[in-house]
Amino acid sequence: MRRPLVRDDLKSMEGYHSPQVDVEVRLNTNEAPFPPPDEFQEAFLNEVTKVDWNRYPDRLAQSLREDLAALHQVQPEQVFVANGSNEVLQTICLTFGGHGRTALTFEPTYAMYGQIARTTQCRVAEVQRDEAFKVSIDVLERGIETEKPDLMFLCSPNNPTGTPESSAVIEAALGLSSAAVVVDEAYGQFADFTALDMFGSHDASDSLIVTRTFSKTWSMAGVRLGYCIAPPWMLDEFQKVVLPYHLDSVKQIAGQVALRFQDQMEKRVTQIADERKRVSESLTLMELDVWPSQANFILFRTTPCDLSGNEVWKRLLDRSVLVRNCSGWPGLEDCLRVTLGTEQENTIFLEALQEALQ
Ligand SMILES: *Cc1c(COP(=O)(O)O)cnc(C)c1O
């Protein structure tokens, strides 16, 4: 039997790869190591009994968007919610990308920008960050001038390097081009900087989009909920490309209930930031190359210890510790990225690493 032909441009593409292996200590996908508080479960189950199962969900997720708007002191018309920030990114690519258009990325960065943009048949232009993995104004200017992007992705703090962005770079991006400027703040609460302030402080640009997710700081990766803050005019456009009723009723409730426990979320963030300091110091003492991180993960290079990244990654796996192997990514040769887990998990990781480096 003959198979139907897959789109030509899909042939050279690969799907998302992050091994889901059964190990004791899983520090490879930047999830929160703790579940939401017990009170969340109780409140959520209570609210779920009110769902009209036979009815479609509120298509605009009005209540959830109002709560998010209050959280960030913006208007509900500036909030768009979707199934994880990946669906937000896809919606942005469907709106501003597509055939004949260009998306600009600053490498190394989150691989899904390029991946999602390409699935909309958008051309992807990559420019390199500097040695410290920063986007310099110079790099930004050159990228904009040569590639003439229709949209660009700045990740703050950047995955997988942990580097935060600055308002100078974002203002330059907004000033130098008419592209949609996406600032992905999946790890925003772990950092000193947020581009969200730029919506309030001055006449917010017509092209700034800041994305956030419940997957990391809110301990809700299993729920698949994300959102962005954007100028109100974009929301009408997003509604044209997103599927009707894409956000189910149960998820809308989960998001609203989660927001009631903001204090606990912030406590978890502080706890992880403390661990980040401890683990980062230990890695430095092991004489690895360690990049300063403002996220819930740390990037390090193994070569100062005369071992390849692949080898160290395997030795860790032998000890039932899974981290992200970034060794094969351009610009990240021999680099591993470890997600910060609980204090106990981090200690097990550090001990396993110490052994692996012998
Ligand atoms: C984890 C992550 C996301 C989150 O994606 P979700 O679809 O919300 O789970 C988005 N951007 C970056 C850079 C990430 O690391």
Side-chain angles (χ1 to χ4, degrees), residues 16 29-30 83-87 89 109-110 112-113 155 157-159 184-187 211-216 221 224-227 297 337:
Y16 178 76
T29 44
N30 299 343
N83 292 285
S85 45
N86 278 320
E87 196 193 21
L89 296 172
T109 192
Y110 188 50
M112 292 311 294
Y113 305 139
C155 189
N158 185 43
N159 181 6
D184 181 345
E185 295 193 350
Y187 308 95
T211 66
R212 291 242 168 155
T213 178
F214 282 74
S215 296
K216 317 285 163 53
R224 311 300 303 123
L225 182 61
Y227 60 97
F297 53 81
R337 186 197 70 192

Side-chain angles (χ1 to χ4, degrees), residues 236-302:
D236 296 332
E237 306 301 326
F238 292 164
Q239 290 304 332
K240 295 178 190 170
V241 296
V242 78
L243 296 174
Y245 311 110
H246 64 130
L247 209 72
D248 69 74
S249 305
V250 174
K251 184 171 308 196
Q252 294 184 27
I253 289 172
Q256 280 192 274
V257 174
L259 294 177
R260 293 187 206 160
F261 301 96
Q262 193 190 346
D263 289 357
Q264 283 93 325
M265 181 276 281
E266 281 166 4
K267 265 193 213 120
R268 297 194 298 269
V269 168
T270 308
Q271 223 171 319
I272 287 171
D274 290 345
E275 280 296 285
R276 178 174 67 200
K277 186 163 179 290
R278 177 174 82 94
V279 173
S280 178
E281 283 168 1
S282 300
L283 295 174
T284 306
L285 283 175
M286 292 182 204
E287 295 182 352
L288 298 151
D289 274 343
V290 184
W291 280 273
S293 168
Q294 287 215 356
N296 68 338
F297 53 81
I298 301 169
L299 185 78
F300 60 95
R301 181 170 269 147
T302 60

Side-chain angles (χ1 to χ4, degrees), residues 68-88:
L68 287 166
L71 174 70
H72 294 304
Q73 294 167 332
V74 295
Q75 300 305 310
E77 295 72 35
Q78 290 174 271
V79 185
F80 173 76
V81 277
N83 292 285
S85 45
N86 278 320
E87 196 193 21
V88 176

Side-chain angles (χ1 to χ4, degrees), residues 1 35 37 41-42 80 109 130 135-136 143 174 203 207 211 224-225 254 257-258 260 276 301 314 321 344:
M1 273 204 288
Q41 292 253 1
E42 209 175 302
F80 173 76
T109 192
D130 70 14
V135 177
S136 64
L174 294 168
D203 189 25
S207 39
T211 66
R224 311 300 303 123
L225 182 61
V257 174
R260 293 187 206 160
R276 178 174 67 200
R301 181 170 269 147
K314 274 195 224 111
V321 175
Q344 195 196 2

